[in-house]
Structure formats: structure tokens, C-alpha cells
Amino acid sequence: MKHSGQLTMKDGKLQVPDQPIIPFIEGDGIGPEIWAASRKVFDAAVQKAYQGTRQVIWQETLAGEKAYNQTGTWLPEATLEAIRTHLVAIKGPLTTPIGGGFRSLNVTLRQELDLYICYRPVRYFEGVPSPLKHPERTDMQIFRENTEDIYAGIEFSAGSDEAEKLIAFLKDELGTEKIRFPETSAIGIKPVSKEGTERLVRGAIDQAIRQKRKSVTLVHKGNIMKYTEGGFKQWGYDLAEREFGDQVFTWQTYLSTKEQEGPEAAENLLTRAQQDGKVIIKDRIADIFLQEILIRPEQYDVIATLNLNGDYISDALAAQVGGIGIAPGANMNLQSGHAIFEATHGTAPEYAGLDQLNPSSLLLSGALMFDYLGWPEAAAYITDSIAAAIASKKVTKDFADQMDKAESLKCSEFGNLLVEWIEKA
Ligand code: NAD
């Protein structure tokens, strides 16, 4: 039976009641303390933005150590069912259980709900310690494919029956002579599909158009892996032209115009597309891209990339703007509407219970969640209050240690400061 607080999908659009039920997982290690601080801020932001006409009904669901201690399982079926039903959830970090046979809980959640986009926006907050001279030039949104690539989990250890069979098959049936040391090779498989690429790239371009961003860059290693990563690039360009037509201008059109009509005609076409506010679709080889984000970050905006590249790029970009304590993220399926917003750091067990670390990653993930729900006013209160706290140099220890003359607050004090700021705003 449907509760009135239940989110639903209708005609591809998320339907959000005024009092949505949102399952939360507080997480392990520092999870409970960053969750407690964040929840107060979320409630204050919603109250301030909508004056009681909207309110989140938080519903705790168990995962990780707390679930294991209470139920004997790390990820109870009831938790999966709650997220399946309510579509949107938010979570703190979870311990990866150690021992044979355990999959990471995060990976399990992603696979069970087919959350094919790992979304990581990366922007700079004035005053955050950064290794760059101009960190404010970094403002990107990463759409990382989350279900395919060498990360699909098809891997066999060296010397195993499976690896031997596969190596023999590759050699005998497919004529592959390229495995340098067949006797001692472990083997991994890298599936990259047209469908998987298209749903990811569609999400990235869609968002770029909605948010009036300047470009979408397809990041790949298609120069070396022609059919997998090269396929990603080509399918991405083809989809952009086929589904988004006049709203985008692709680098492939630029190149073909240059070849047929000369460089000036191509430049003119590009300039006109930019003036018309079209989203420019371009691509970069992954290794060059990692240089580009340091040298010319202002030239990049929305990024669409494969799973492994995306893993490296997300962390490299997060480090440019202040790193692990402040990078938000989400895993999403835009077709079913399922989305889990999460702190991107781990459980930092050595700090658990000290009320010391930074809740900003979870807070900013909450802001992303409110944007996703179509409550941008609440999102803005969260983001603006964090910006104001950092600008006034009142921050948690991780930042205070690296800043000049900053006041070091406990995690809970930092949360309370944001609540006060929101109430006064
Ligand atoms: P970690 O992110 O927990 O900690 C590494 C270091 O980062 C910490 O020592 C701390 O200095 C810093 N840090 C982390 N969170 C911070 C915060 N909020 N504010 C300021 N600084 C912060 O990584 P780890 O030690 O490799 O992993 C610990 C556990 O977390 C493992 O069980 C791992 O599997 C798990 N993990 C979970 C997730 C997740 O749930 N999404 C992600 C990564 C790791």
C-alpha cells in the first residue's frame, strides 16, 4: 500500500510529496556523528525554506556494523526493500566487512538497484585549503559509469581453472597471441556496451542542458582500447547528435567542417554555437585530461567517463578543491529514479566517537539530494551556510590545521553553527 509520503516515478519524472519518507543509513565509524550534525542542518534548511509546508520524514534503515550487531547481517533485505520502495536514500560511510565472500556493501547497493551513474560535483569553497594557485577555477560535475568496465567484477586469479580455460580459449579459438606470460596471468574482462554508455551520457547531457552548463567532455582511452573506450566515445557523440540535435554542438561537427570548409568556417560555427548557448560536446584522452584539470580546469564542465577513469578523476578533482572531507556524491538510476546520496569518504575508524571530523561531505550530499527532489531552496541554505562558515574561518579540525588563524570546531559545533546561520538568514 502506498503511503502519502512515498516518492514515485511518473512519465520519467520524480513525484515528490511535501512530506517524503527518506530512508537514511547513519553509517559506521564517524558515520553516527556526521549524520547527527547533518540531520539537524537538513531539517533547519527545509524549515527555513518552506516554513513548515514541507518536511522530511526520516526513516532509519540499517546497514554495516550496526545492522550486523542488531540483525546478524551486514545488509538486511529490509534495507534494500526500503530504498527500493522510497527511491531516494542518504547514507554515511560503511565498513567493508573483512573476510572471504563479502562484497563491499556500497557495491552491493549499486548493483542491486542498478545505480548506473556515480555523480560527483566538484566545486571550490573560498578559503578551503587547496594545493592549487587558483582552485576557484575548478567547477565540474563528473558522471562516472558505475556498472561496467574492468570494474564489472569479472576477474580470475592467476593459475585458477577459470583463468587457464579463458587463456586457452583466447589462444585456441580466437587466435590471441598477445598474453605475454600465459602461464602466470590473472585475467580480467572489460565489458563496455552501447546501452550502458548511452544511458550515462544521456544523463550527463541532459543535466548540462538543464543547468545551462557550457560543455560535456567524454573522457576515455580510446586511442589504446579502441572498441571499449573508443566505443564509449563514438556512442557518446552519436547519441548527442541523435537525441539532442540542435541543443548541442559536437567536436566531430567542428572537425568535419574544418576538413571540408577550412578552419575559419569551423571556428565560426563553434563561436555561433557558444553564443547560442549550445552545449559543446568534446572528448579528451584520460591521461591528457588529468593534466588539463590542473592546467586549464576552467575549460571543463560536465564530464562523462567510464568506471575506472572516473574513479581516478573523481578523487584527483576532489583533492584540487579540498579533498575528502568536503566532496559529495550520489549513485543514481535516472530511469527508475533510485538514488543514494552519500558521504564519499570512508568510516575513518580511528576518529570514531571523537566528534572531530568534517560533516561537509554528507551535508553537501544532502544538498544534492534536495536538488534532486526539486527543493533547491533547501539545498541552497545548506551550501550557503557551509560557504559562510568556511569564509569566517570556523571549521572542523581537518581544515583548521591547514588554515591560517582558523577556529577549530567539533563536528557537532560546526553543525550547530550552520543551523544558527540558516535560522538567521
Ligand atoms: P577513510 O576515508 O575512512 O579515511 C582516510 C582518512 O581520510 C582518515 O584517516 C581521515 O584523515 C580522512 N577523512 C575521512 N573522512 C573525513 C572527514 N569526514 N573529514 C575529514 N577527514 C576525513 O578511508 P579508509 O581508512 O581507507 O577506510 C576506512 C573504512 O571505510 C574501510 O572499511 C573502507 O572500506 C570504508 N570505506 C567506505 C566508503 C563508503 O562507505 N562510501 C568509502 C571509502 C572507504
Side-chain angles (χ1 to χ4, degrees), residues 30 91 93-96 106 324-325 343-351 357-358 398:
I30 61 166
K91 63 175 273 294
L94 294 172
T95 306
T96 302
N106 294 306
I324 206 159
T344 57
H345 53 77
T347 58
E350 66 276 33
Y351 293 94
L357 290 195
N358 199 338
D398 51 309

Side-chain angles (χ1 to χ4, degrees), residues 28 67 76-77 143 175 187 208 259 280 326 365 382:
D28 299 325
E77 181 53 34
F143 283 70
I187 288 276
E259 203 178 299
I280 310 301
I326 195 163
S365 301
I382 299 165

